[in-house]
Amino acid sequence: MPPVAAATLLVFLTQVAVLLLAAILLGRLATRLGMAAIVGELFAGVVLGPSVLGHLSPPVAEWLFPHRAGQFNMLDAVGQIGMLLLVGVAGMCLDVGLLRRQGPRAGVVSLTSLVIPLGLGIACGLLLPAVIMPAGGDRAVFAGFIGVALCVSAIPVIAKILTDLRILHRDLGQLILIAAGVDDAVGWLLLAVVTTMATVGVSTGAVTLSVATLVGILLFTALVLRPMLRVVLRATDQGAAVGVIAVLILLASAGTQALKMEAVLGAFLCGIAISSTRLVEPARLASLRTVVLGVFAPIFFATAGLRMDLTLLGNPVVALSAIVVLAVAVAGKFGGAYAGASMIGLDRWHALSLGAGLNARGIVQIVVASVGLRVGVVDTTGYTIIVLVALATSVMAPPMLRYTLGRIATTQDEHDREVRLGLDRDDSPTAVPVGSSA
């Protein structure tokens, strides 16, 4: 097989360099403006894509990002690796021990904040105009996908927001993080089922096979993969830990992909399994997080931004649909969190704080949108709307949390926990293993 042509390699290297530079610069600008870095990183792709550069200078845009499938596939492959490693790192952020301790309360909030937006999202998908769907798409699969996209939260985004606002140590901050973790885990499982239905068709046999495969993967993770990881991680020295963990995440991703489930499911389950072994100290993962969050993730988000076409919002039907989907997404999370909080005896401000925190979708919804676009459940129009919802909800979360938590008094236990974790000092390090690209 001949090597990559010199001209193709030149364009690829230029693409990676330009996207990464733009993502870093705009990501830093976003953080200075009080927003998540992901907002700027996505906007880097929007600026360099058809929405801006494609209109201002078509020749430059065509040279830098030509429409040749082979050329873009090289860039997309780098982004896919970044996405899988990012999802694996997010899985490792889930504290399984804390989940067990807070299980009953978090379970109630997770259930309501998952089921209500899922149901509203499915109803929304059934009623959206046909122009939002891909040509020839199955309405039921499309509706199921919209439901999944609207029911997820985003652990990395939420953890970063809670850390930045110095409220991670508070009981409510812990509850938000755990509920988001459960929502994400169930969301990945539902996504695997929906995308399988999209690729093999909607039938009783296909759905049954998907569910059976999913159950098999979960059993394999708990009974085989977790003990296997213990053996591998105990035998791995500190110098090789990062490489071995990356290999494990990619192999798990390949395994679920081979079973016709989504690769992100394998990455996420592998991350949770690694975290549950308690054999990997956060310090050992510092270099992996640095590379993933500082290089691969910005490239993935910028590439995701390239696929957005904001000019589509010039169509009044598309613009109105985007507003409706955003309203349903926000109402679903706030309504679900409020219902769950009421069931476990929390007051109005605690309920609103839960809704504000769980409403941030960021990374997870963008990954969901990318998967949907790849398997053909949505086209560029639907993809753009879903990513816009992810951005809007991530931007909304910090000011909402500041407002609601400002009306909830800090308890002595929370203060003691803050001191114990060293979060009471202005120069204290972040206690959560996620980076600025959350």
Side-chain angles (χ1 to χ4, degrees):
M1 183 177 293
V4 178
T8 302
L9 181 61
L10 171 62
V11 173
F12 169 69
L13 295 175
T14 306
Q15 287 175 332
V16 172
V18 170
L19 278 175
L20 182 57
L21 177 61
I24 291 172
L25 293 176
L26 293 180
R28 292 296 180 90
L29 177 61
T31 56
R32 287 182 178 273
L33 296 175
M35 296 181 286
I38 183 179
V39 176
E41 292 165 357
L42 269 169
F43 193 65
V46 173
V47 170
L48 294 170
S51 301
V52 179
L53 184 62
H55 280 273
L56 296 180
S57 182
V60 174
E62 178 58 30
W63 183 86
L64 187 58
F65 299 106
H67 290 88
R68 299 190 303 273
Q71 183 72 66
F72 193 84
N73 286 346
M74 294 175 64
L75 181 62
D76 190 46
V78 176
Q80 290 297 314
I81 292 174
M83 176 186 72
L84 295 174
L85 292 176
L86 181 65
V87 171
V89 170
M92 285 185 277
C93 291
L94 185 62
D95 189 335
V96 179
L98 190 60
L99 176 60
R100 292 195 189 102
R101 294 193 298 273
Q102 295 276 2
R105 287 164 58 86
V108 172
V109 175
S110 298
L111 180 64
T112 55
S113 65
L114 184 80
V115 172
I116 292 178
L118 175 64
L120 289 176
I122 292 174
C124 181
L126 291 172
L127 297 174
L128 283 172
V131 69
I132 308 300
M133 290 180 53
D138 186 289
R139 173 67 75 168
V141 175
F142 174 77
F145 180 80
I146 295 296
V148 172
L150 299 194
C151 79
V152 297
S153 296
I155 293 177
V157 174
I158 293 170
K160 182 63 166 57
I161 290 171
L162 294 176
T163 303
D164 288 345
L165 296 180
R166 294 181 178 275
I167 56 177
L168 183 63
H169 63 283
R170 300 188 63 173
D171 294 340
L172 194 63
Q174 299 283 302
L175 185 59
I176 290 172
L177 195 61
I178 296 168
V182 176
D183 283 1
D184 279 3
V186 177
W188 291 127
L189 302 181
L190 292 174
L191 177 65
V193 173
V194 171
T195 53
T196 302
M197 291 167 59
T199 53
V200 303
V202 182
S203 66
T204 303
V207 174
T208 302
L209 180 61
S210 298
V211 174
T213 303
L214 185 55
V215 171
I217 290 172
L218 293 176
L219 290 175
F220 178 84
T221 301
L223 302 178
V224 179
L225 180 60
R226 190 167 176 268
M228 187 186 303
L229 288 174
R230 283 185 172 276
V231 174
V232 172
L233 293 174
R234 282 199 181 103
T236 303
D237 59 43
Q238 185 169 350
V242 169
V244 169
I245 289 173
V247 168
L248 291 171
I249 292 172
L250 294 177
L251 284 176
S253 303
T256 51
Q257 187 72 39
L259 293 172
K260 300 188 184 304
M261 305 296 275
E262 276 306 310
V264 291
L265 175 64
F268 188 69
L269 291 177
C270 185
I272 294 176
I274 291 172
S275 173
S276 69
T277 65
R278 298 188 178 277
L279 294 175
V280 181
E281 296 294 330
R284 296 176 69 184
L285 296 175
S287 56
L288 175 63
R289 291 196 302 273
T290 299
V291 173
V292 172
L293 298 171
V295 180
F296 282 107
I299 292 174
F300 166 66
F301 292 128
T303 304
L306 281 176
R307 293 188 170 94
M308 294 178 66
D309 188 357
L310 297 183
T311 61
L312 295 171
L313 296 177
N315 182 333
V317 175
V318 175
L320 181 60
S321 297
I323 294 172
V324 169
V325 173
L326 175 60
V328 170
V330 174
K333 276 298 179 186
F334 270 89
Y338 203 101
S342 300
M343 292 171 67
I344 61 175
L346 296 180
D347 62 26
R348 174 179 60 160
W349 292 112
H350 281 81
L352 291 174
S353 296
L354 279 170
L358 294 173
N359 190 46
R361 291 166 171 87
I363 290 172
V364 176
Q365 195 170 59
I366 292 166
V367 173
V368 170
S370 299
V371 171
L373 183 65
R374 183 174 58 77
V375 300
V377 181
V378 293
D379 58 11
T380 303
T381 304
Y383 172 85
T384 299
I385 290 175
I386 294 173
V387 173
L388 283 175
V389 171
L391 282 176
T393 54
S394 297
V395 171
M396 290 162 59
M400 285 183 172
L401 274 172
R402 287 192 190 98
Y403 179 78
T404 55
L405 280 170
R407 283 147 180 79
I408 302 174
T410 303
T411 66
Q412 185 60 47
D413 287 344
E414 290 174 337
H415 176 70
D416 293 343
R417 188 185 300 136
E418 181 182 26
V419 173
R420 186 172 65 253
L421 295 175
L423 300 176
D424 59 326
R425 300 188 300 271
D426 289 339
D427 60 345
S428 62
T430 9
V432 179
V434 289
S436 60
S437 290

